[in-house]
Amino acid sequence: MKEILLINVTGEDQPGVTSAITSILAQYEANILDIGQAVIHDYLSLGILAEIPPASESSPVVKDILYRAHELGVRVRFQPIGADSYSHWVGQQGKQRHIVTLLARKVSARHISEVTAVAVRHGLNIDNINRLSGRIELDSLADQDKACVEFSARGTPADLAALRADFMELSTRMDIDIAIQEDTVFRRNRRLVCFDMDSTLIEAEVIDELAKRAGVGAQVAAITEAAMAGELDFKQSFARRMALLQGLDEAVLADIAAELPITEGAAHLISTLKKLGYKTAILSGGFNYFGHYLQRQLGIDYVYANELEVKDGKVTGAVVGSVVDGRRKAELLRELAQRENISLEQVIAVGDGANDLPMLSIAGLGIAFRAKPLVKASAKQSISHLGLDAILYLIGLRDREAVANSPY
């Protein structure tokens, strides 16, 4: 009769432990049904689920492994697994899986405690946990700027909207970000990232900066805020703001472009994406002049924004062609996906304003970045407490896998 044996090996990590244990199992022609290993601070935890064939018995297997473990200075525990228990385990195969990503400036025990409690309360069973952020020197802990822990969970939430709402409440209360995604083949197979520009790639609203130079800063800023919060139609608000810029000297555009504050993590994110073969795009309700400036600075592939009309060296208060609003952003995203011959599931969209919601809603991964409350509540994912390069964690990339040295 076949026997199934769960073998747990723990102790100080050293080369050859897995090889030694599996070599003994090989002598008895055992089959490996499952295997997993983790090393935390040079401490090994190795689990092997082995099928011992009828021609062998578990007693000599156990004896030989115990002897070898003693030589290696590690501890070993054995547990027989019954047929019913094994069949139940096999039956869990194919169940829906989710990835829960915890993002913070520094991860605490309370963060993990509360995130996992919410997951369990909604019927998810966490069976794998990984740290995606890099190791931190002890004397650098106080200056740690980002941390990420990823949980792989099995199960189907009874109410996914309620789960997202609970994570949202927790993220607001604890100043952390929590993302939950279905674990599909697309999660690590995105190919195109589309960014809003103002208050996303840059920490400014260009039209507000133009308005300050025109002496109408307060009026334009108030309209911008209402539009981004979804209180005003984008096209109408855009026309009102543009009209206030009439007569602005064209020369100030270059000065403003040179002073644009690029968002934390943007350069690292885009240089990493480029080296991984991703395409990047700016889809903006702002202006081409500044989009192309950022394109040169960051190495972005595509830019679609509004064209400021300038005559006789002065801004006329109008744009050339149609306005890039929320609907147009979504259309452009679809067109770029077709051009790159990829599905919408392989597209990431990132933005902060109400006019970004159409493209966030159709992208495989839509991320509200440091967004207005309406946008954050409507988007499936949000990042509010880290920089743009936290997006790398949402596609499952570890710090050690990311390109460390950005040329930008």
Side-chain angles (χ1 to χ4, degrees):
M1 180 178 177
K2 294 181 180 180
E3 294 182 80
I4 299 175
L5 199 61
L6 178 59
I7 305 164
N8 291 110
V9 181
T10 57
E12 186 176 348
D13 185 39
Q14 57 189 289
V17 174
T18 303
S19 176
I21 302 301
T22 54
S23 292
I24 294 170
L25 291 169
Q27 293 172 22
Y28 292 92
E29 298 185 347
N31 294 318
I32 304 300
L33 304 175
D34 197 13
I35 186 168
Q37 176 177 306
V39 176
I40 298 179
H41 195 62
D42 295 329
Y43 190 87
L44 168 73
S45 178
L46 167 66
I48 300 174
L49 189 64
E51 176 197 30
I52 312 300
S56 304
E57 292 183 0
S58 62
S59 296
V61 175
V62 169
K63 177 183 175 183
D64 289 352
I65 291 178
L66 279 170
Y67 182 77
R68 190 71 180 97
H70 177 74
E71 290 182 328
L72 292 167
V74 296
R75 291 174 291 281
V76 62
R77 183 168 63 89
F78 302 92
Q79 181 180 346
I81 302 298
D84 290 344
S85 176
Y86 179 75
S87 295
H88 175 75
W89 176 74
V90 171
Q92 301 298 305
Q93 190 169 245
K95 284 204 168 185
Q96 191 177 33
R97 303 190 65 84
H98 289 84
I99 298 295
V100 179
T101 310
L102 165 61
L103 305 158
R105 292 296 178 181
K106 184 185 298 184
V107 171
S108 72
R110 184 170 296 281
H111 293 154
I112 293 177
S113 170
E114 298 220 24
V115 168
T116 53
V118 169
V120 170
R121 191 164 68 244
H122 284 271
L124 295 179
N125 181 54
I126 295 168
D127 54 16
N128 197 9
I129 303 174
N130 289 300
R131 171 181 49 82
L132 301 188
S133 48
R135 298 175 182 177
I136 303 295
E137 295 285 348
L138 193 59
D139 56 4
S140 300
L141 281 173
D143 301 321
Q144 184 178 2
D145 65 343
K146 62 180 179 178
C148 176
V149 176
E150 179 186 271
F151 307 86
S152 177
R154 183 177 65 249
T156 303
D159 187 338
L160 185 57
L163 172 59
R164 291 187 186 280
D166 283 353
F167 276 148
M168 178 76 72
E169 184 280 328
L170 182 59
S171 67
T172 301
R173 175 162 51 87
M174 302 194 79
D175 291 331
I176 58 178
D177 294 313
I178 307 165
I180 179 166
Q181 307 173 62
E182 189 173 352
D183 192 5
T184 69
V185 68
F186 294 111
R187 195 177 75 87
R188 288 182 67 104
N189 193 31
R190 317 288 186 189
R191 306 312 310 153
L192 168 68
V193 187
C194 297
F195 299 94
D196 175 44
M197 180 172 65
D198 297 57
S199 296
T200 300
L201 274 180
I202 56 174
E203 295 179 339
E205 291 286 335
V206 169
I207 198 167
D208 291 350
E209 299 305 312
L210 292 169
K212 290 175 187 176
R213 300 298 183 97
V216 291
Q219 297 146 272
V220 168
I223 300 171
T224 299
E225 183 67 21
M228 292 300 100
E231 297 169 8
L232 292 176
D233 172 77
F234 180 81
K235 281 189 174 180
Q236 292 176 342
S237 69
F238 187 70
R240 286 171 56 187
R241 287 177 287 172
M242 287 298 301
L244 292 169
L245 299 181
Q246 185 176 1
L248 181 65
D249 197 311
E250 181 185 18
V252 305
L253 302 184
D255 295 338
I256 291 173
E259 297 173 0
L260 290 177
I262 294 176
T263 299
E264 174 193 0
H268 177 230
L269 169 64
I270 292 171
S271 64
T272 301
L273 291 173
K274 284 171 61 66
K275 291 180 181 180
L276 293 174
Y278 284 67
K279 294 290 186 178
T280 55
I282 290 175
L283 306 182
S284 173
F287 304 108
N288 268 329
Y289 182 95
F290 304 97
H292 288 303
Y293 178 87
L294 288 174
Q295 182 178 36
R296 294 189 295 271
Q297 293 292 306
L298 299 173
I300 291 168
D301 296 291
Y302 301 105
V303 174
Y304 295 92
N306 297 302
E307 187 68 42
L308 269 174
E309 184 181 67
V310 177
K311 290 183 178 179
D312 300 324
K314 301 290 184 180
V315 172
T316 68
V319 296
V320 179
S322 58
V323 173
V324 177
D325 60 1
R327 187 181 62 154
R328 181 59 180 152
K329 286 187 180 187
E331 290 174 353
L332 288 166
L333 185 147
R334 289 183 187 276
E335 291 172 11
L336 286 174
Q338 290 176 354
R339 181 183 300 184
E340 294 296 329
N341 196 28
I342 60 175
S343 71
L344 290 176
E345 281 287 345
Q346 293 176 277
V347 181
I348 299 172
V350 190
D352 74 301
N355 65 321
D356 295 310
L357 283 173
M359 74 171 182
L360 298 186
S361 68
I362 64 171
L365 179 59
I367 303 169
F369 180 74
R370 299 181 182 176
K372 312 300 183 288
L374 169 69
V375 183
K376 187 174 178 180
S378 301
K380 289 184 179 179
Q381 315 297 344
S382 65
I383 296 174
S384 299
H385 300 94
L386 298 187
L388 273 174
D389 53 352
I391 291 171
L392 296 173
Y393 294 138
L394 298 193
I395 60 175
L397 205 66
R398 298 172 183 269
D399 278 355
R400 67 170 181 259
E401 297 170 324
V403 181
N405 298 311
S406 168
Y408 303 107

